[in-house]
Amino acid sequence: MHHDVPLIATVAMAFVLAFAFGFLANRLRLPPLVGYLVAGVMAGPFSPGFVADAALSAQLAEMGVILLMFGVGLHFSAGDLMAVRWVAIPGAVGQILVATLMGVGLAMAWGWSLGAGVVFGLSLSVASTVVLLRALEERNALATPNGRIAVGWLIVEDLAMVLTLVLLPAFAELLGGHADGHGTATGGGLLWSILLTLGKVAAFVALAVMLGPKLVPWLLRQVARTGSRELFTLSVLAVALGIAYGSATIFGVSFALGAFFAGVVLSESDFSHRAAADSLPLQDAFAILFFVSVGMLFDPFVLVEQPLKVLAVLLVITLGKSLAAFAIVQLLGYPVGTALTVSASLAQIGEFSFILAGLGLSMGLLPEEGQDLILAGALLSITLNSVCFMGADWLRERGRARFPAWFDEFGKDRQLGLQGQLDELRRKSQAREEARSLQITSLIERFPIFADLDQAGREDLLMLFRPRTAQPGERIIRVGDRPDAAYFITSGTVLVRVSGQDIRLGPGEFFGEMALLSGRRRTADVTALDYCQFQTLEQRDFRQFVSHHPELRQKLLELVRQRTEMNRQAAAAQAEPVPALPAQG
């Protein structure tokens, strides 16, 4: 057997090392992400022992980026972002500018080019959404106003970095790098390049916004109607990867932007929760491979060779960015507690920093030393982020005790206004969830035959049902018809004539399932006695649904047996001769 299998070896060792160091990081009360990065260092060329295939790791990392950005898009809430827009948008833009200027200043002090400084500063300016979400979840702060501001702030940062990824190649040659190796674009050439890039992005966004919300949910609905869980999961991945690849091939935009919009298209549909749940395991798996591949690029000797530079980078990330964010939040009139939460949230860098560093390196803008410093800053800042949150909590408690007016009164009106907006959004979201839950509850109360279905099965059933009505006197089913659907009565009464017997059925009862189960033609006439409303399961949907729920099929078969026996007995009773009356004397 041939044992030269670099892909299997790379993936296997990446998962094994990531598990080992991720578990160790967790035991040390550190984010598992730190363990994944260390696992990459151990599998990289700068450590002894196993060395993973760098080219394969880079492609696996790209897959991780696509799925990470798809997940960001799925959880993107325009409503939440609009609620915090007056602090998140100016705050994020201002903080990015300040942090970028700090990075440019360090780069110029070290003798790097302006282009290197821009890429370096941008890489230090953007925090990790993954790290933030996990930190807020651990503190049960995700749904609080401060948590929403921090998440909205990072969403704006992510959007800014997506735009940066699109525009950076257009400016690469002007900044001293190379975009495609065909010379330097100047004057009108640069302007044309920028306009062409923005035009392609605008065309892609317009196409995604106009067609995506109609086409993608329709496609997923058709797949969901098959009742196949694996096909639905496959369709979600096909949408994410297909849009990402197509956007890069046709429109020339990044995989990250395409994947983000694929998630955004799905985020407001009825399938968003299911798509997120089905894609989450693969998102986690490839995200781990992404962080491992990033760790492989890190040269740990930079900690020994350039300790002062590493310290300077760490201070910009944990102190410079945090102080800038604190000042901006306070200038915008929000409480000190909000400023401290946002400051702690931004005291780290993550996935977009790695993507920007890799792009800058590939275009000749960023020296390899810069990438090493960014990776070192990421490793150290993510490791210390929990300490930053504890420090923010300590400052909040001490400050409230010594300066209660500043901590409790300043910005209180803005905080209360934001709380009201978020509460209203939460009520609307809960109302939608409650309405769907009420639909399911009503379904079970009205049709007890579905009571044994699990939650996923009940939601699938709601999606498969098709409403139908009938006017008084309308013939719904005729004897000899080919079976087309099963009918579940929600209101009104129908008359079923079978074997010469008339049977009335009302709300909560159903008919038409016998022919679907047997595959034979209809054996009864069904007529609406008054205005009727039904939920119907078409033949294909009915058969596939009961095939995936054998317990329901057994119930239906038992009902068919009982009805058949009742019809037989009724027909036999009708066929018995009526005894003659005795003669009257």
Side-chain angles (χ1 to χ4, degrees):
M1 181 178 176
H2 188 56
H3 290 284
D4 185 15
V5 283
L7 176 61
I8 295 176
T10 298
V11 173
M13 290 304 297
F15 281 137
V16 169
L17 291 172
F19 167 72
F21 286 99
F23 182 76
L24 180 60
N26 182 264
R27 298 291 291 180
L28 296 174
R29 299 184 180 277
L30 297 173
L33 183 57
V34 176
Y36 307 152
L37 292 169
V38 173
V41 174
M42 299 305 295
F46 304 105
S47 301
F50 173 79
V51 177
D53 189 297
L56 288 175
S57 297
Q59 294 187 45
L60 292 172
E62 197 69 58
M63 286 284 289
V65 171
I66 291 172
L67 291 173
L68 273 173
M69 291 308 302
F70 179 65
V72 171
L74 271 177
H75 295 95
F76 178 82
S77 171
D80 282 354
L81 180 58
M82 292 303 292
V84 300
R85 64 189 182 279
W86 299 118
V87 59
I89 295 177
V93 172
Q95 177 259 309
I96 288 173
L97 289 175
V98 172
T100 301
L101 289 175
M102 292 180 186
V104 170
L106 283 179
M108 300 299 284
W110 295 335
W112 296 359
S113 67
L114 176 62
V118 170
V119 174
F120 187 66
L122 286 170
S123 299
L124 300 185
S125 70
V126 58
S128 168
T129 308
V130 176
V131 174
L132 171 67
L133 291 176
R134 291 179 180 177
L136 293 176
E137 285 172 352
E138 288 175 0
R139 290 164 175 78
N140 294 320
L142 192 56
T144 64
N146 291 346
R148 289 301 187 190
I149 290 175
V151 172
W153 192 298
L154 261 70
I155 288 175
V156 175
E157 283 192 352
D158 289 347
L159 293 174
M161 290 305 109
V162 167
L163 185 62
T164 300
L165 292 175
V166 171
L167 293 178
L168 191 58
F171 284 93
E173 295 176 354
L174 184 66
L175 293 172
H178 55 81
D180 52 16
H182 294 297
T184 301
T186 57
L190 174 61
L191 180 60
W192 171 249
S193 177
I194 294 173
L195 290 176
L196 182 62
T197 300
L198 292 176
K200 287 181 177 180
V201 174
F204 167 70
V205 171
L207 192 64
V209 170
M210 289 188 296
L211 293 183
K214 298 178 182 178
L215 181 60
V216 174
W218 176 86
L219 174 64
L220 293 185
R221 182 178 293 278
Q222 303 311 307
V223 175
R225 289 179 64 185
T226 66
S228 172
R229 301 287 174 85
E230 60 270 19
L231 268 180
F232 186 84
T233 302
L234 184 60
S235 67
V236 171
L237 293 175
V239 167
L241 297 175
I243 292 179
Y245 181 75
S247 64
T249 304
I250 300 173
F251 296 96
V253 302
S254 67
F255 288 126
L257 181 64
F260 173 76
F261 271 96
V264 169
V265 164
L266 275 175
S267 64
E268 299 297 330
S269 75
D270 293 336
F271 299 97
S272 59
H273 294 300
R274 186 171 173 184
D278 285 5
S279 62
L280 185 60
L282 277 172
Q283 285 183 42
D284 288 343
F286 278 98
I288 290 170
L289 291 176
F290 169 69
F291 289 117
V292 170
S293 67
V294 168
M296 288 174 57
L297 303 173
F298 175 60
D299 182 1
F301 290 103
V302 72
L303 298 174
V304 178
E305 296 171 354
Q306 304 286 351
L308 295 179
K309 289 184 178 180
V310 171
L311 180 61
V313 169
L314 185 61
L315 289 175
V316 168
I317 297 170
T318 58
L319 190 60
K321 278 178 33 176
S322 296
L323 290 175
F326 184 92
I328 291 172
V329 173
Q330 287 280 275
L331 287 173
L332 292 172
Y334 283 83
V336 176
T338 301
L340 288 171
T341 299
V342 173
S343 299
S345 301
L346 298 175
Q348 39 84 13
I349 59 174
E351 51 273 8
F352 266 116
S353 304
F354 308 146
I355 299 169
L356 276 170
L359 182 62
L361 191 64
S362 68
M363 294 187 302
L365 289 172
L366 188 70
E368 290 189 9
E369 179 188 7
Q371 186 181 50
D372 288 337
L373 291 172
I374 291 169
L375 292 171
L379 277 166
L380 295 174
S381 64
I382 291 171
T383 303
L384 296 173
N385 193 236
S386 58
V387 177
C388 293
F389 269 101
M390 288 189 289
D393 292 339
W394 181 83
L395 285 173
R396 187 182 294 108
E397 292 176 3
R398 294 293 298 271
R400 183 171 286 117
R402 300 187 65 177
F403 309 102
W406 185 30
F407 273 77
D408 294 332
E409 298 301 324
F410 180 80
K412 186 176 180 179
D413 292 341
R414 284 185 179 272
Q415 188 82 345
L416 291 175
L418 176 59
Q419 180 70 63
Q421 293 182 57
L422 293 175
D423 287 344
E424 181 62 25
L425 288 170
R426 194 173 297 111
R427 279 193 293 269
K428 290 180 179 179
S429 177
Q430 288 175 349
R432 288 194 297 268
E433 293 296 326
E434 288 172 0
R436 189 160 183 83
S437 177
L438 186 61
Q439 282 183 296
I440 294 174
T441 302
S442 176
L443 171 73
I444 302 308
E445 290 176 350
R446 187 166 289 170
F447 304 110
I449 193 170
F450 299 126
D452 292 337
L453 293 176
D454 59 14
Q455 184 69 14
R458 295 173 183 180
E459 291 182 354
D460 288 345
L461 189 61
L462 279 180
M463 181 188 62
L464 293 174
F465 270 148
R466 295 288 181 271
R468 182 170 169 179
T469 60
Q471 299 296 327
E474 181 180 340
R475 185 67 61 86
I476 303 165
I477 288 177
R478 295 178 183 274
V479 173
D481 285 349
R482 293 184 181 276
D484 59 342
Y487 295 76
F488 297 83
I489 307 171
T490 56
S491 67
T493 307
V494 300
L495 180 69
V496 180
R497 175 163 294 232
V498 56
S499 302
Q501 296 292 311
D502 289 343
I503 304 170
R504 290 174 180 261
L505 299 177
E509 297 182 287
F510 52 92
F511 59 91
E513 83 289 349
M514 295 174 65
L516 293 180
L517 288 169
S518 65
R520 300 173 184 172
R521 291 178 180 268
R522 301 292 193 186
T523 59
D525 289 324
V526 182
T527 305
L529 293 180
D530 47 23
Y531 181 77
C532 296
Q533 292 181 310
F534 311 104
Q535 292 289 354
T536 65
L537 277 179
E538 296 178 3
Q539 181 180 28
R540 177 171 171 268
D541 295 336
F542 177 86
R543 289 181 174 174
Q544 288 184 338
F545 189 79
V546 298
S547 71
H548 285 91
H549 297 87
E551 70 285 355
L552 177 61
R553 183 181 182 84
Q554 282 301 118
K555 281 186 176 182
L556 290 171
L557 287 173
E558 179 60 23
L559 282 173
V560 168
R561 188 192 65 77
Q562 292 175 9
R563 288 184 178 181
T564 303
E565 180 62 23
M566 290 172 59
N567 293 339
R568 188 190 64 78
Q569 291 176 1
Q574 200 172 44
E576 289 181 1
V578 179
L581 292 175
Q584 299 296 319

